[in-house]
Amino acid sequence: MNTVWMTVAAYLIGSISFAVVSSKLFGLADPRTYGSKNPGATNVLRSGNKGAAIATLIGDALKGWVAVWLAIRFQEKLNIGDATIALVAIAVFLGHLWPVFFRFVGGKGVATAAGVLLGLNPWLGVATLVTWLAVAFAFRYSSLAALVAAVFAPFYYGLLFGVEPQLAAVAAMSALLVFRHSKNISNLIAGKESRIGSKAKGK
């Protein structure tokens, strides 16, 4: 029973779209109406409001971290196994991708995935974030950085901890991240992908 309610709770936490919430607080247009129409920090940044973008980034990452950290923190008390931790990790991520509070229209999950990885293990999160930053700094494409980091995340987990239930969750998140970036992959190949910091049309 604990596994069921913790998984549901994680999904509901993930369903909070900080891109939409932050945009409302900063008096901005709904991020689902401009740019890539993706409710995420990169698209919010296209509004020109760095504060809203940072708030979105922190909020989306924090919800992933909180869900996983709480599950690990109370693992022994609630008598749950590593498989439940893995379910919580993927549930909060799925909540971000398909949020029940926002008609199942969510973001691509990069920040939330980073929070989940940091929650599972700080070194895992740092290694993946460094990969993202290195690619983003070198090429100025957020999507490319996310794709490369997604590919490396399961490799880092396996290298650090071996084959565990959480590895399956990390691999599933990585696969979903690549899937959610399918349009970005096409744009990158065609040379049409927007670079980090570029403003949305009409802004």
Side-chain angles (χ1 to χ4, degrees):
M1 183 60 70
N2 285 336
T3 296
V4 174
W5 74 257
M6 289 181 71
T7 302
V8 172
Y11 171 76
L12 294 176
I13 291 172
S15 290
I16 303 171
S17 177
F18 282 93
V20 177
V21 173
S22 297
S23 293
K24 287 184 177 179
L25 291 175
F26 281 83
L28 303 174
D30 189 319
R32 295 169 294 181
T33 63
Y34 63 82
S36 66
K37 295 182 172 58
N38 174 61
T42 301
N43 198 41
V44 173
L45 184 60
R46 293 190 177 102
S47 70
N49 192 312
K50 293 182 179 179
I54 292 172
T56 298
L57 180 66
I58 293 174
D60 282 345
L62 190 60
K63 68 185 181 184
W65 179 84
V66 166
V68 173
W69 182 85
L70 286 174
I72 294 174
R73 173 67 175 78
F74 294 101
Q75 183 174 15
E76 291 187 8
K77 185 175 182 180
L78 296 175
N79 192 29
I80 58 174
D82 288 342
T84 298
I85 304 298
L87 286 173
V88 166
I90 195 65
V92 69
F93 183 72
L94 289 174
H96 180 81
L97 299 189
W98 293 287
V100 67
F101 303 133
F102 297 92
R103 300 180 181 180
F104 302 101
V105 179
K108 296 175 181 176
V110 177
T112 301
V116 168
L117 295 178
L118 285 167
L120 289 173
N121 184 276
W123 288 113
L124 172 65
V126 168
T128 308
L129 283 172
V130 168
T131 301
W132 188 96
L133 288 170
V135 177
F137 180 80
F139 299 99
R140 304 294 295 173
Y141 288 114
S142 175
S143 57
L144 179 61
L147 288 165
V148 174
V151 170
F152 274 89
F155 169 76
Y156 291 147
Y157 192 97
L159 188 65
L160 290 169
F161 311 110
V163 179
E164 295 181 348
Q166 288 91 331
L167 175 58
V170 174
M173 284 196 304
S174 294
L176 285 168
L177 274 168
V178 173
F179 169 73
R180 295 286 281 189
H181 282 80
S182 57
K183 184 177 180 180
N184 302 91
I185 294 172
S186 298
N187 288 338
L188 283 166
I189 294 173
K192 298 179 180 179
E193 184 71 350
S194 298
R195 293 181 182 271
I196 295 174
S198 62
K199 291 189 176 182
K201 293 181 180 179
K203 293 288 179 182

